[in-house]
Amino acid sequence: MGDSRMRASSSNTESALLLGVVRSEGQLLAVVSQRRMAGGAAALPAGAAGRYAVTSVPVGAVDQGLLAEKTRLCAAWGRLCDVAALDGDVLADVLTVLLSTAPAAFPDAGPLLRLTAPPPPPRRTAGHPRAFKGTKYRPPKPPRPAALDLRSALCSTRNTYTLLERLWPWRAEALDQLARLRFDEAGLARLAQCPTPPLDPYLLFHHGGSPTPAKLAPLFVEWILPALAGASWPIVRRAASLFGQLRLADELHLAALGARLVRVACAERALNWWEALVSQPGARRSDFLALVLDTGAWTENPARVSEALVDLGHGARPDRYEPWARVLLAGLARKLNPTYVAAGIRFAVAYAPTWWFGELADDAPDFGPSTPAALLTALPTEWNGDWLMSLWDTCGAVPGFATLIEQADWRALSPPQRMYLLRFFTDLRWQQDSHALDPRRWRAIEPFLPRIEELARTVATPYTDQAMNDLGELVAEMSTPHQIRDCLPLALDLLARVNRPPFCDDGNMATALSNLLSLPERERGRFLGAQESSFRRLDKACLRRNAASLVAWGISTLVANAPALVADAFASAPGSLFRTTRDLGVLSWEARRELLRRCLALGVFDLQVERCPLEKLLQLIDTVDAAGSMVPRALRDQRAGRRVLSDAQVARHQAKLRQRLPEIRLAAIRSAVIAHLERSIGLQRTTREALEALELLQQAEGNRRGLRRFLRAHLAGDPDYLLRHPATVAWARRHPGIDLATWTRGIDHHFTTGGRAVSIHLERDPLEVLKLGTYVGSCVGLGGSFACSAAAVVLDINKQVLYARDDRNAVLARQLVAISDDDQLVPFSVYPLSTPLVLLRAFREVDRQLAAALAIEQVSADQRYSIENILSREWWDDGAWPDDRDATDDAANKTNP
């Protein structure tokens, strides 16, 4: 409408947009598209389209921000309700309304407008020279015409034309007034050239070259045409054609979304999206167009992802259509590589119909037309569609990965080599807080890609998985690009060294090796130059994941505070080093640092101790409790006066003693750890079994307070502390149907398997109960993620543990059992996961017997239950053991979290 058109918003962020103003039954109605926001008690309708609605309100109630010309339009409309005489002012008001509004989509009905001409002025004749009779001085006054309400006439096409015919002689005066109101000059010029009133002034004014009259659908005129004001007639004709092709007259919701799209976008871009609607099934079009508006995709040309739109519309499952469409359209709006985004949709449709994209945060500018085929070629045959999607996702998260996929000769790698190498790259996505890998890290890795491929290709097949997995862990721990360039070549050499016989092919050395590679350059060289036996001792110390965690934590603290000791001990006393780091690893980070600070202040750690006299050295060693046995017997005897040694013998023993200084210093650290553990509950000396309990106390976290109080009482000789505790008594009072004697005593089950006697019994020794995770290497063991749960089993009377032991008292398997709040037996999965079937069936039988002895039912695997924390504050519930069908093979157990 030139300067008088309703101003369109430049975005879809505003909740309300004006589609147009309609003349309907003597009133002006504003047609408003409303975008509803979540909030309040009322829930939004399901689906993206449900967030949009169209309402019609009187123009007077519309906010001035939606209709800038509201004041001018309402004033003209108001004057047309009381017209005393037809003149140029009236024509200006009529044109103001006609050029700013559209007729309602109603039949052209109603009474015809009859406009009577005013009587002619008196005319002189021969018989009446004064042209009138009667008054001597002036002619009689003409009759005053009745006031007219022209508003209803403007709601009828035929009455509007009748009115314009009568007013058109004043067009020059009226058009001058509109020019002063800053209406479009070109449109006014076209009106001025018409000797007779045009059949449709609106079309002639806004769309030069339009046919008169034009056959346009009424709803198109109401909702779409106002947003096209100023567009050329071919664009209007294209819009009208698409309006009919999409049957928008019958799809009011879709038509409203299309009108909003035309309002926020330029006309040609909006019509491109209308054409893209054809690629979507009819039932999905409203949601699709709503998502185009939501994501801002309307700012881009849909032709960039036309093939992906077809795949999306006809291939996505109903529950995936909206999230997939949102990903595609949001990616287009963010100007991501359309080839990359389209390939993701195509892969998901063809290979991963249940895939969840999440938020598409990363782009792959190097993802070209040939990359999808290269991905399919690289995909190992063992991988499913979800793995293909992971590779596609990695192209966005790891800069340069798409190029690597195209350039590498994947066929030259065996299936296992290809699988583990690709997994190394996909895991790079998770090595920092943001999803995308820092390009600087990738540039640091890139020069070593041939060596990484060589590692995957040359390591023996049983070790390929471990080598590539450990490489990923090592790279993840390299915090800066400089550290990657410095340490990655060393890591590759080291992994080639330790991923071959006789090393374990399923070990857990990676974190420990990463910490050792953090040594200063000189000490790191001594570590890397150590004999193979030292690395084998590390491999043995890290066979179990929990133990490996403790060793790695201890090494980390020693590397940071005593790097020379680590390098010396790794070469000369690896067993003592890893025993010390394991003991040190049970403490918290702060406790470890403080303990080492105190140890390094001891005389035995003095750098001059290697050059001090023998007697001084022996005196320093005497201060370390665990180091006395490291002094040769001959030296001890000479010092006690029981033996005389020659100077050469003394020198030889002194040299050996100095060689063992790293071992002596490590012994000092272990003694300090033991002292720290004993002080944690106020003991002077304690047993080995108690020390293991004190180690777990350090990792009990939320249950530390309760476990500390229990251990103090138990080690002081009070075995009934828990039974007397008020919380235990209160629980027993709430569960009178549970026989505590039977529950705490359990039942014994004996049988023979493989020629060995096996017994399953309920463990009554609380110090043994604390080892329920350590024995089987599960997450509730020392060093595990949920070590605090072991404390919960000891503290809470409603939790017990069953051990299966052989005739040598070795633990073969264990099971946690509990009583739910509604007095049902809850048996949990048996660990370790490799427990043989015969033992699983035996545990199943014990569970049945225990439930029968307690006269309670067992919960089923799919039944909801609740287990109270009595003295504990937290514990890990990994779900009830599956029913009998799940005990038919070794893989039946629940995976350890």
Side-chain angles (χ1 to χ4, degrees):
M1 300 175 195
D3 288 283
S4 70
R5 67 174 288 191
M6 283 76 72
R7 291 189 176 89
S9 171
S10 60
S11 74
N12 189 51
T13 57
E14 299 179 25
S15 61
L17 288 178
L18 185 71
L19 299 183
V21 178
V22 176
R23 310 186 300 274
S24 176
E25 298 180 346
Q27 61 177 333
L28 297 182
L29 296 177
V31 181
V32 179
S33 171
Q34 192 76 29
R35 183 171 183 258
R36 293 176 282 188
M37 305 295 185
L44 293 180
R51 290 188 288 273
Y52 293 89
V54 170
T55 57
S56 295
V57 296
V59 165
V62 173
D63 187 270
Q64 186 81 26
L66 290 181
L67 179 59
E69 296 78 20
K70 171 184 172 180
T71 302
R72 182 177 68 196
L73 180 60
C74 289
W77 185 254
R79 288 191 293 269
L80 292 177
C81 72
D82 186 12
V83 175
L86 300 179
D87 53 20
D89 292 338
V90 174
L91 179 57
D93 288 338
V94 168
L95 289 177
T96 296
V97 172
L98 292 179
L99 302 183
S100 304
T101 63
F106 293 121
D108 194 8
L112 292 175
L113 177 66
R114 300 186 182 279
L115 297 175
T116 56
R123 187 162 54 93
R124 291 175 180 165
T125 64
H128 299 280
R130 292 195 311 175
F132 58 90
K133 297 193 314 181
T135 306
K136 296 181 180 180
Y137 304 104
R138 61 179 64 118
K141 293 181 179 180
R144 184 172 183 177
L148 298 175
D149 185 350
L150 300 180
R151 294 176 300 180
S152 296
L154 297 183
C155 297
S156 166
T157 302
R158 57 189 178 185
N159 287 341
T160 298
Y161 190 76
T162 299
L163 180 60
L164 287 175
E165 279 186 314
R166 184 66 180 273
L167 293 171
W168 205 244
W170 288 281
R171 66 182 181 280
E173 178 185 343
L175 293 178
D176 285 343
Q177 293 188 37
L178 295 187
R180 289 193 295 271
L181 292 176
R182 303 184 66 83
F183 275 71
D184 180 61
E185 293 181 0
L188 293 177
R190 287 192 291 271
L191 292 176
Q193 293 173 2
C194 297
T196 59
L199 294 177
D200 192 334
Y202 182 95
L203 283 181
L204 182 63
F205 177 80
H206 291 291
H207 309 286
S210 60
T212 304
K215 294 183 178 180
L216 300 174
L219 189 65
F220 179 88
V221 172
E222 277 192 38
W223 288 6
I224 310 298
L225 194 59
L228 296 173
S232 65
W233 179 249
I235 291 178
V236 177
R237 185 170 59 242
R238 178 186 172 199
S241 175
L242 286 170
F243 188 90
Q245 181 182 350
L246 294 170
R247 309 179 72 86
L248 296 186
D250 302 323
E251 299 282 349
L252 297 185
H253 199 178
L254 184 59
L257 291 167
R260 186 179 180 101
L261 180 60
V262 175
R263 177 64 67 184
V264 300
C266 69
E268 290 194 54
R269 183 59 50 77
L271 296 182
N272 289 341
W273 281 105
W274 280 26
E275 289 179 340
L277 274 180
V278 178
S279 67
Q280 306 302 301
R284 294 179 167 179
R285 289 176 177 175
S286 292
D287 284 338
F288 175 79
L289 212 53
L291 289 170
V292 170
L293 290 164
D294 284 347
T295 60
W298 50 268
T299 60
E300 301 297 318
N301 190 343
R304 299 175 64 200
V305 289
S306 57
E307 293 183 5
L309 290 176
V310 175
D311 293 334
L312 172 72
H314 298 278
R317 293 181 1 172
D319 61 328
R320 294 296 191 268
Y321 178 77
E322 183 173 337
W324 286 9
R326 188 177 294 278
V327 164
L328 175 61
L329 296 172
L332 183 64
R334 293 177 52 225
K335 302 184 185 301
L336 301 185
N337 181 355
T339 305
Y340 170 62
V341 179
I345 297 297
R346 191 174 307 119
F347 283 158
V349 168
Y351 302 102
T354 61
W355 180 260
W356 284 104
F357 280 93
E359 181 181 356
L360 191 59
D362 310 309
D363 194 12
D366 58 336
F367 196 102
S370 59
T371 309
L375 282 173
L376 291 172
T377 300
L379 186 74
T381 55
E382 299 87 350
W383 282 10
N384 58 20
D386 285 355
W387 276 107
L388 174 61
M389 295 306 299
S390 294
L391 289 178
W392 169 84
D393 187 58
T394 305
C395 290
V398 178
F401 182 66
T403 301
L404 175 66
I405 284 290
E406 292 198 52
Q407 293 178 349
D409 184 7
W410 298 102
R411 299 182 187 277
L413 299 172
S414 69
Q417 293 168 353
R418 192 188 320 167
M419 176 172 63
Y420 297 128
L421 180 59
L422 287 172
R423 192 183 63 187
F424 164 76
F425 290 114
T426 59
D427 287 348
L428 290 176
R429 295 174 294 169
W430 319 117
Q431 290 188 3
Q432 53 194 51
D433 293 337
S434 61
H435 185 235
L437 184 71
D438 187 337
R440 293 171 298 177
R441 289 180 65 83
W442 177 254
R443 287 195 294 270
I445 295 171
E446 199 168 18
F448 304 103
L449 290 178
R451 291 197 57 191
I452 293 173
E453 181 182 341
E454 180 185 2
L455 179 69
R457 189 175 58 253
T458 58
V459 166
T461 300
Y463 294 88
T464 310
D465 182 7
Q466 176 175 268
M468 301 312 299
N469 185 69
D470 288 356
L471 177 62
E473 291 192 36
L474 291 172
V475 172
E477 294 300 322
M478 298 174 190
S479 56
T480 65
H482 173 76
Q483 191 175 9
I484 292 175
R485 288 187 289 269
D486 184 34
C487 294
L488 183 52
L490 303 177
L492 290 167
D493 290 338
L494 185 56
L495 290 175
R497 181 178 178 182
V498 300
N499 282 281
R500 57 183 176 83
F503 291 95
C504 177
D505 61 3
D506 189 25
N508 302 283
M509 284 196 293
T511 306
L513 291 176
S514 174
N515 292 336
L516 289 167
L517 283 172
S518 299
L519 284 164
E521 184 175 357
R522 186 176 65 177
E523 286 78 9
R524 185 172 60 198
R526 289 156 57 194
F527 148 66
L528 292 172
Q531 296 182 352
E532 182 178 302
S533 58
S534 295
F535 290 96
R536 290 177 62 183
R537 294 295 293 268
L538 176 60
D539 186 35
K540 183 177 180 180
C542 296
L543 283 180
R544 281 193 169 180
R545 184 176 299 276
N546 290 349
S549 297
L550 297 175
V551 170
W553 296 338
I555 287 177
S556 174
T557 304
L558 276 180
V559 165
N561 295 275
L565 175 60
V566 174
D568 292 340
F570 190 87
S572 63
S576 180
L577 173 63
F578 304 137
R579 186 163 63 252
T580 303
T581 53
R582 182 264 178 208
D583 291 349
L584 190 60
V586 303
L587 306 182
S588 67
W589 295 97
E590 296 78 7
R592 291 201 299 272
R593 283 198 300 268
E594 177 60 23
L595 184 141
L596 273 183
R597 185 188 65 79
R598 293 198 307 269
C599 285
L600 293 175
L602 298 176
V604 75
F605 285 87
D606 195 318
L607 295 178
Q608 305 300 321
V609 72
E610 295 183 6
R611 293 187 293 272
C612 70
L614 177 60
E615 182 59 29
K616 176 65 173 177
L617 177 60
L618 292 173
Q619 290 175 3
L620 292 174
I621 294 174
D622 287 342
T623 63
V624 181
D625 292 342
S629 61
M630 299 180 192
V631 178
R633 180 186 294 273
L635 279 181
R636 293 200 304 268
D637 288 346
Q638 185 198 43
R639 194 180 182 197
R642 295 189 296 269
R643 185 173 181 178
V644 178
L645 298 176
S646 66
D647 291 344
Q649 289 175 320
V650 171
R652 187 168 60 251
H653 287 306
Q654 186 175 2
K656 290 181 178 179
L657 193 58
R658 285 174 175 160
Q659 289 176 358
R660 299 192 70 180
L661 271 176
E663 194 174 353
I664 293 169
R665 288 164 173 161
L666 292 173
I669 295 174
R670 291 198 301 274
S671 296
V673 171
I674 292 174
H676 179 90
L677 296 176
E678 291 173 340
R679 286 196 305 271
S680 66
I681 59 171
L683 293 179
Q684 295 298 324
R685 292 289 179 182
T686 187
T687 64
R688 179 175 179 81
E689 290 73 18
L691 278 176
E692 293 177 356
L694 294 177
E695 287 177 337
L696 195 135
L697 174 64
Q698 310 308 306
Q699 301 186 350
E701 297 180 352
N703 297 329
R704 185 175 293 131
R705 181 180 181 184
L707 182 60
R708 179 184 294 112
R709 291 181 174 180
F710 161 73
L711 288 175
R712 282 176 179 163
H714 183 77
L715 296 177
D718 183 3
D720 297 327
Y721 168 80
L722 292 176
L723 288 175
R724 294 195 318 271
H725 196 284
T728 302
V729 174
W731 183 88
R733 190 179 300 116
R734 292 193 298 273
H735 299 267
I738 301 299
D739 182 357
L740 283 186
T742 302
W743 172 241
T744 56
R745 183 180 65 252
I747 59 173
D748 292 339
H749 182 70
H750 303 275
F751 61 99
T752 301
T753 177
R756 289 191 300 172
V758 178
S759 65
I760 298 178
H761 68 278
L762 187 146
E763 184 57 58
R764 300 180 183 89
D765 182 352
L767 300 187
E768 282 293 296
V769 172
L770 285 173
K771 302 177 187 177
L772 82 162
T774 303
Y775 276 135
V776 298
S778 75
C779 61
V780 298
L782 188 64
S785 304
F786 301 98
C788 62
S789 290
V793 179
V794 169
L795 295 173
D796 294 345
I797 194 67
N798 60 348
K799 304 174 183 71
Q800 302 287 349
V801 65
L802 301 171
Y803 281 132
R805 297 179 185 265
D806 63 11
D807 49 9
R808 292 172 295 183
N809 206 37
V811 173
L812 305 177
R814 65 92 174 147
Q815 182 188 34
L816 176 65
V817 291
I819 293 178
S820 66
D821 293 346
D822 56 354
D823 288 351
Q824 295 190 85
L825 182 68
V826 184
F828 293 91
S829 296
V830 176
Y831 288 97
L833 299 180
S834 57
T835 301
L837 180 58
V838 64
L839 275 182
L840 295 178
R841 290 174 175 167
F843 273 106
R844 185 73 70 186
E845 179 59 27
V846 172
D847 295 340
R848 292 194 187 99
Q849 293 180 18
L850 183 58
L854 292 169
I856 61 177
E857 299 291 330
Q858 288 189 59
V859 299
S860 59
D862 57 352
Q863 183 178 345
R864 297 179 65 88
Y865 61 84
S866 176
I867 298 174
E868 182 180 351
N869 287 0
I870 301 174
L871 284 172
S872 67
R873 300 186 63 180
E874 58 185 43
W875 80 294
W876 172 252
D877 181 344
D878 64 352
W881 195 16
D883 58 27
D884 289 334
R885 293 188 303 274
D886 297 298
T888 57
D889 56 59
D890 292 352
N893 286 299
K894 189 179 183 73
T895 301
N896 190 13

